[in-house]
């Protein structure tokens, strides 16, 4: 069966890291008998240069025709002076909206070899393997009414509205339970139910859903405590599910537990399991075109694509094991190398992961 993957390299280091992902997918295809067809599209600054807009209609059409999307990164100084609707990042927001990507998954996985890169003590984070699931299309970032108004006496007030429907909570809640089922079967729902009515509804719905997933252990935690626990004892979590604003903050916090931005993958999924996969980092203009970028976040995004959209768990495991294997061999790109360690370029690192995958180590 053939799977169509839309590659959106984007800007900066995007083309370099996506080239490694393509190489890896071809190797996965050979090893696991999967047939991949690649299509290519424009997004971000490179799309502005060619078409005048950061998200051409053709890119959305290509995404709709694909089984999954793999994105590099967008952005760069060259396009930062344009009007807000013509910034590269608008391309990202636009494609998430166009494809209904409501669930953002951010694993924080710390390979033991890199435990020294975290700002926390190695024993607190070594072997960390958690996933934060953030609701991406609702909550206070989208709620109405919103805005800044000037009252009759000249005082200005700002207003945002946190709003969630039961259906929106149920949708992300089920994603949380489903993902927990494929991992350690523990789901922690994070809210602020002691203060917020939205959170009380959130907690009600999560508790109701738990009856459908007797094999998953559900717990609830207030967001302030969750922030504290993430830096105190992060390994207590398996899967965390939370609303948009809380997830925005907690997922960055969890990501930084690992200490290296070049290692962090992400997925944004819609109701059908279709997903857009991308590294968490940006386009790194400071090292673009120099073969200095770490491709591992993108290669780990490929593992997520295999697991969550294509349902190929063994292939996903093999990719993650290949990444672990190159790290065990002491292979490093500049961002994760300690002084004195030999440093590989982007393509060399990609080749090493492909070799480890082929060798099954
Ligand atoms: P950045 O993540 O691009 O870079 C931050 C630092 O991390 C830089 O020093 C960079 O060299 C380094 N870095 C990032 N990825 C790396 C990798 N794979 N290997 C080695 N080093 C890596 O963030 P920034 O500098 O704040 O933003 C640069 C541009 O990227 C901006 O235009 C920003 O808007 C955009 N951006 C895009 C996304 C995205 O596409 N999802 C996310 C964040 C920022």
């Amino acid at each position: 069966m053939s799977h169509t993957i839309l590659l959106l390299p984007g800007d900066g280091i995007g083309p370099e890291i996506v080239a490694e992902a393509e190489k890896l997918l071809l190797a996965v295809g050979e090893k696991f008998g999967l047939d991949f067809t690649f299509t290519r599209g424009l997004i971000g600054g490179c799309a502005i240069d060619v078409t005048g807009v950061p998200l051409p209609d053709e890119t959305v059409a290509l995404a709709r025709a694909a089984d999954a999307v793999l994105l590099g990164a967008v952005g760069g100084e060259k396009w930062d002076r344009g009007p807000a609707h013509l910034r590269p990042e608008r391309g990202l927001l636009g494609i998430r909206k166009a494809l209904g990507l409501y669930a953002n998954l951010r694993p924080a996985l710390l390979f033991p070899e890199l435990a020294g890169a975290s700002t926390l003590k190695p024993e607190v984070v070594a072997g960390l393997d958690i996933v934060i699931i953030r609701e991406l299309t609702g909550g206070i970032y989208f709620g109405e009414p919103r805005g800044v108004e000037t009252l009759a006496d000249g005082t200005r007030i700002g207003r945002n509205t946190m709003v969630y429907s039961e259906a929106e909570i149920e949708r992300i809640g089920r994603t949380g339970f489903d993902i927990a089922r494929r991992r350690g079967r523990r789901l922690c729902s994070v809210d602020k139910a002691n203060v917020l009515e939205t959170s009380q509804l959130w907690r009600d719905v999560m508790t109701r859903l738990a009856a459908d997933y007797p094999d998953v252990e559900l717990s609830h935690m207030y967001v302030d405590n969750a922030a504290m626990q993430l830096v105190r004892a992060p390994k207590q979590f398996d899967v965390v599910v939370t609303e948009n604003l809380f997830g925005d903050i907690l997922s960055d916090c969890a990501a930084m537990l690992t200490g290296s931005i070049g290692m962090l993958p992400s997925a944004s999924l819609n109701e059908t399991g279709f997903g857009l996969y991308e590294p968490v980092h940006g386009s790194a203009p400071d090292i673009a075109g120099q073969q200095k970028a770490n491709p591992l976040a993108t290669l780990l995004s490929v593992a997520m694509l295999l697991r969550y959209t294509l349902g190929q768990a063994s292939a996903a495991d093999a990719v993650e094991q290949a990444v672990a294997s190159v790290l065990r061999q002491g292979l490093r790109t500049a961002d994760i190398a300690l002084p004195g360690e030999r440093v590989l370029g982007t393509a060399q690192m990609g080749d090493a992961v492909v070799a480890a995958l082929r060798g099954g180590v």
Side-chain angles (χ1 to χ4, degrees), residues 13 73-76 89 92 261 278 281-287 293-294 335:
I13 59 172
V74 300
E89 292 73 13
L92 275 184
I261 192 150
E278 57 180 324
H281 60 72
S283 59
D286 51 330
I287 54 168
N294 182 350
D335 57 310

Side-chain angles (χ1 to χ4, degrees), residues 323-359:
V323 170
S325 161
V326 300
L327 295 172
R328 260 196 317 275
Q329 293 167 47
L331 306 179
R332 303 281 187 270
T333 43
D335 57 310
I336 51 172
L338 294 173
E341 279 186 324
R342 192 178 144 235
V343 167
L344 299 189
T346 309
Q348 288 172 310
M349 184 53 111
D351 289 344
V353 174
V354 166
L357 180 93
R358 291 213 169 104

Side-chain angles (χ1 to χ4, degrees), residues 28 163 170 220:
V28 167
V163 56
E170 176 157 350
H220 303 277

Side-chain angles (χ1 to χ4, degrees), residues 82-144:
H85 69 284
L86 288 183
R87 298 272 170 86
E89 292 73 13
R90 282 300 174 104
L92 275 184
L93 297 179
I95 198 163
R96 285 177 188 150
K97 190 159 179 247
L99 301 174
L101 305 174
Y102 69 91
N104 185 232
L105 274 59
R106 286 230 214 150
L109 179 72
L110 186 58
F111 293 94
E113 293 77 9
L114 301 181
S118 174
T119 49
L120 298 192
K121 292 192 189 107
E123 63 269 26
V124 175
V125 288
L128 179 76
D129 180 3
I130 65 179
V131 176
I132 308 265
I133 302 176
R134 165 188 172 193
E135 202 290 326
L136 206 54
T137 55
I140 199 163
Y141 292 174
F142 296 93
E144 298 282 348

Side-chain angles (χ1 to χ4, degrees), residues 31-73:
K31 189 172 170 112
F32 290 89
L34 303 171
D35 184 16
F36 293 110
T37 304
F38 298 107
T39 51
R40 284 179 173 70
L42 295 170
I43 192 167
C46 59
I48 296 173
D49 285 349
V50 176
T51 67
V53 292
L55 182 64
D57 292 343
E58 195 197 340
T59 298
V60 176
L62 283 167
R64 293 211 166 103
D67 293 304
V69 180
L70 188 76
L71 183 120

